[in-house]
Amino acid sequence: MENVIEINHLNKSFGEVRAVQDLSFRVKRGELFAFLGVNGAGKSTTINIMCGQLGRDSGSIVIDSQELDGNVDAVKSKLGVVFQSSVLDKALNVRENLESRAALYGIVGSAFEARLSELAQMLSFEDLLKRTVGKLSGGQRRRIDIARALLHKPDILILDEPTTGLDPQTRKTLWSVISDLRRKDNMTVLLTTHYMEEAADADFVVIIDGGRLIAEGTPLELKNKYTGDYITLYGASEDTVKKLGIPYEPLRDAYRLLVPNTAAATELIIRHPEVFRDYEITKGKMDDVFLAVTGKKIEAGADR
């Protein structure tokens, strides 16, 4: 697959704070790309630079084969962006918000009506069109934020913590819509999130800390490199588990054993068949990867 986003040696400082430091990465067309880091790691700064909202100190940005320098408007036309904080006008109703935004892309008249109807059905907000945005719930407002970003059918959708604070059902609905768009339109999605289960579904993951890239790879590659496997063992006593001589932690009705990899788990089970009568083996999670790489737990909130 071709690269649709290329970031090369990007740097940005705010006074003495180096928010982004020599950052380079690639995003391939059509993939779900997870861009992870704790609050203040530099994710939102990078996104704002990519979108032409913020200048950079040095480095280059190429989006869909176009340099950002000298082509800001052309690059922006390819991007749909859902920022952490809603950018909708709370005093206007849903239809007015979307109509004014669509006009910036020359989508007016019957073309706007058709696109509005399509998005309203897709994101289930037909009954909200006349409602003032300031009176919407968080989940309703997020659906309109995403509709706003999709009005002009962008090639690349940037989602900056899009599901923070949403209930599970709304999160599921939004991800279903995004998955459909990726499948039908080969849309590229760049995601920042603090929900590691969302990152686990990505095609590729980049983790930054202090504005620097510190790990990258597919979720499986990162799990294999930075975490081990877990064996959840049922129906055994703690004395029996201790005799195995490996790290473990007690659960409510079982013990979780930490092994380096699946091969080590298999070897342990073969050596002690009398112990492993009821068990399951699982890979480490992206939470474990993130903690191993950064030494920190990821949390929701404002980023820089």
Side-chain angles (χ1 to χ4, degrees):
M1 291 188 292
E2 65 175 319
N3 294 328
V4 70
I5 299 174
E6 298 181 13
I7 307 294
N8 299 295
H9 305 292
L10 187 65
N11 290 279
K12 176 63 180 179
S13 296
F14 298 95
E16 296 183 356
V17 177
R18 299 186 66 186
V20 180
Q21 302 185 56
D22 196 32
L23 182 62
S24 298
F25 62 84
R26 306 285 184 268
V27 180
K28 295 190 178 299
R29 188 178 300 280
E31 75 178 356
L32 172 58
F33 181 97
F35 189 40
L36 306 180
V38 296
N39 297 333
K43 307 185 301 297
S44 291
T45 296
T46 302
I47 287 172
N48 285 328
I49 294 171
M50 289 171 54
C51 298
Q53 304 294 318
L54 185 65
R56 62 191 183 277
D57 298 335
S58 61
S60 67
I61 297 175
V62 178
I63 295 180
D64 203 11
S65 301
Q66 290 186 300
E67 291 273 358
L68 183 61
D69 290 341
N71 297 291
V72 174
D73 290 340
V75 167
K76 281 184 176 181
S77 70
K78 298 178 181 295
L79 303 177
V81 187
V82 179
F83 294 101
Q84 282 187 35
S85 300
S86 178
V87 293
L88 300 170
D89 190 327
K90 294 181 180 180
L92 301 180
N93 66 30
V94 169
R95 178 190 175 87
E96 290 166 342
N97 265 278
L98 296 178
E99 189 171 22
S100 61
R101 182 64 179 178
L104 297 178
Y105 296 102
I107 305 171
V108 296
S110 59
F112 168 70
E113 296 298 337
R115 185 59 174 157
L116 178 64
S117 176
E118 183 180 14
L119 290 170
Q121 183 176 12
M122 184 188 304
L123 288 159
S124 302
F125 62 85
E126 297 101 324
D127 58 335
L128 301 177
L129 290 173
K130 295 182 180 179
R131 188 163 322 168
T132 303
V133 165
K135 296 181 180 179
L136 299 180
S137 69
Q140 291 170 335
R141 193 157 52 243
R142 214 55 175 153
R143 278 183 273 160
I144 310 308
D145 280 320
I146 292 176
R148 178 183 182 276
L150 294 173
L151 276 167
H152 59 299
K153 298 184 178 181
D155 296 322
I156 302 165
L157 182 63
I158 298 176
L159 303 171
D160 196 1
E161 298 202 9
T163 58
T164 298
L166 299 186
D167 63 89
Q169 184 58 46
T170 302
R171 285 173 60 198
K172 183 177 180 180
T173 298
L174 294 183
W175 275 113
S176 176
V177 169
I178 291 165
S179 295
D180 286 346
L181 289 170
R182 289 185 61 221
R183 184 177 63 254
K184 290 188 297 186
D185 301 334
N186 198 32
M187 186 175 67
T188 305
V189 178
L190 188 154
L191 167 75
T192 80
T193 181
H194 71 278
Y195 293 114
M196 290 296 100
E197 68 270 25
E198 293 179 348
D201 290 333
D203 298 301
F204 198 82
V205 178
V206 158
I207 300 175
I208 66 172
D209 194 27
R212 294 181 181 276
L213 189 152
I214 57 172
E216 63 179 330
T218 67
L220 180 59
E221 288 170 344
L222 292 172
K223 289 176 185 179
N224 285 339
K225 184 173 182 179
Y226 293 105
T227 73
D229 284 12
Y230 295 99
I231 308 174
T232 303
L233 177 60
Y234 303 96
S237 69
E238 187 164 7
D239 286 341
T240 299
V241 172
K242 284 181 179 178
K243 290 177 183 178
L244 296 173
I246 61 173
Y248 72 91
E249 64 174 326
L251 304 178
R252 182 172 181 176
D253 56 357
Y255 292 92
R256 191 169 82 151
L257 317 178
L258 175 61
V259 290
N261 49 50
T262 305
T266 303
E267 182 182 351
L268 183 67
I269 293 165
I270 291 173
R271 284 206 319 266
H272 301 279
E274 74 284 358
V275 174
F276 293 93
R277 298 178 184 277
D278 189 5
Y279 65 90
E280 56 186 346
I281 303 174
T282 56
K283 288 284 185 188
K285 298 181 179 180
M286 285 302 299
D287 300 79
D288 302 313
V289 170
F290 193 87
L291 185 60
V293 170
T294 67
K296 306 164 186 174
K297 291 185 177 181
I298 197 164
E299 298 177 358
D303 186 25
R304 167 172 277 182

